């Protein structure tokens, strides 16, 4: 275990005051973590998805992504149709293991899943912070990112870490995430916009420049019934 927690201090009031952050947090407990177990989506959970999407559509990040994707021919210029497209990409369930729908793009990328005793996905700093605060995540260490033309310091927006995540059982079993990389301090709308653009218009590996970083955003697709889902 690392000698100190990953997150020293987060302003909870500031997070809850932002509509997309608040709506994002409400989604994080909607999923069955174990791959292979069918998800049971309630009407309340669908409502929470809608609130999140509505909040996203009001942000500059998503509006920019929509305009760019529509111009390139990957999305409709109609905001309602683009919202529907976002729902399909992020929240439509598909079968990752077996035949029953047990996963979604949102669950894999932002929440994380467990498969064969190891954690897969889970690339979001808010989810990692939330689980660490609850005592469910054991932070094991980090690797500093390489910054183009800058010295590495404590003001990083990219982190590569290793952690163990409690599986929720009474025996306090923790499951390992050998390595995960995520942004730090960025908004949910920034990540949804970026990953949506990469998924629709990019390739499996997408080399992009963001500030001092040169990043490889990997977008995997899983085909089910001739439809590609974000994986």
């Amino acid at each position: 275990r690392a000698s100190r927690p990953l997150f020293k201090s987060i302003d909870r009031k500031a997070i809850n005051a932002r509509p997309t952050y608040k709506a994002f947090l409400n989604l994080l407990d909607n999923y069955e973590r174990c791959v292979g177990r069918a998800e049971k989506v309630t009407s309340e959970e669908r409502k929470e998805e809608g609130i999140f999407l509505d909040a996203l559509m009001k942000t500059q990040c998503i509006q920019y992504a929509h305009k760019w994707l529509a111009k390139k021919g990957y999305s409709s210029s109609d905001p309602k149709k683009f919202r529907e497209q976002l729902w399909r990409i992020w929240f439509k369930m598909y079968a990752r293991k077996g035949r029953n729908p047990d996963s979604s793009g949102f669950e894999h990328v932002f929440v994380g899943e467990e498969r064969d005793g190891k954690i897969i996905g889970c690339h979001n700093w808010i989810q990692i912070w939330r689980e660490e605060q609850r005592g469910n995540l054991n932070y094991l260490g980090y690797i500093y990112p390489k910054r183009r033309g800058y010295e590495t310091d404590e003001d990083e927006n990219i982190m590569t870490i290793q952690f163990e995540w409690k599986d929720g059982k009474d025996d306090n079993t923790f499951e390992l995430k050998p390595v995960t990389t995520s942004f730090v301090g960025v908004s949910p709308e920034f990540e949804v916009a970026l990953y949506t653009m990469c998924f629709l218009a990019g390739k499996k590996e997408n080399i992009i420049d963001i500030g001092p970083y040169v990043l490889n955003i990997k977008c995997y697709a899983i085909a089910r019934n001739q439809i590609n889902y974000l994986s």
Side-chain angles (χ1 to χ4, degrees), residues 1-5 132 135 137-141 164 174:
R1 186 186 184 114
S3 59
R4 292 181 294 175
E132 185 178 55
L137 188 142
N138 180 17
Y139 163 60
L140 299 176
E164 294 175 325
F174 282 76

Side-chain angles (χ1 to χ4, degrees), residues 79-115:
K80 291 184 179 180
K81 291 184 179 180
F82 181 63
R83 183 187 182 280
E84 292 172 359
Q85 186 180 34
L86 287 177
W87 181 84
R88 289 194 301 271
I89 291 170
W90 291 104
F91 294 109
K92 185 173 178 59
M93 291 289 175
Y94 59 83
R96 182 177 294 277
K97 181 179 181 180
R99 296 184 177 181
N100 296 318
D102 62 352
S103 187
S104 69
F106 186 91
E107 179 184 9
H108 181 79
V109 174
F110 294 120
V111 183
E113 303 172 280
E114 179 269 318
R115 181 176 62 194

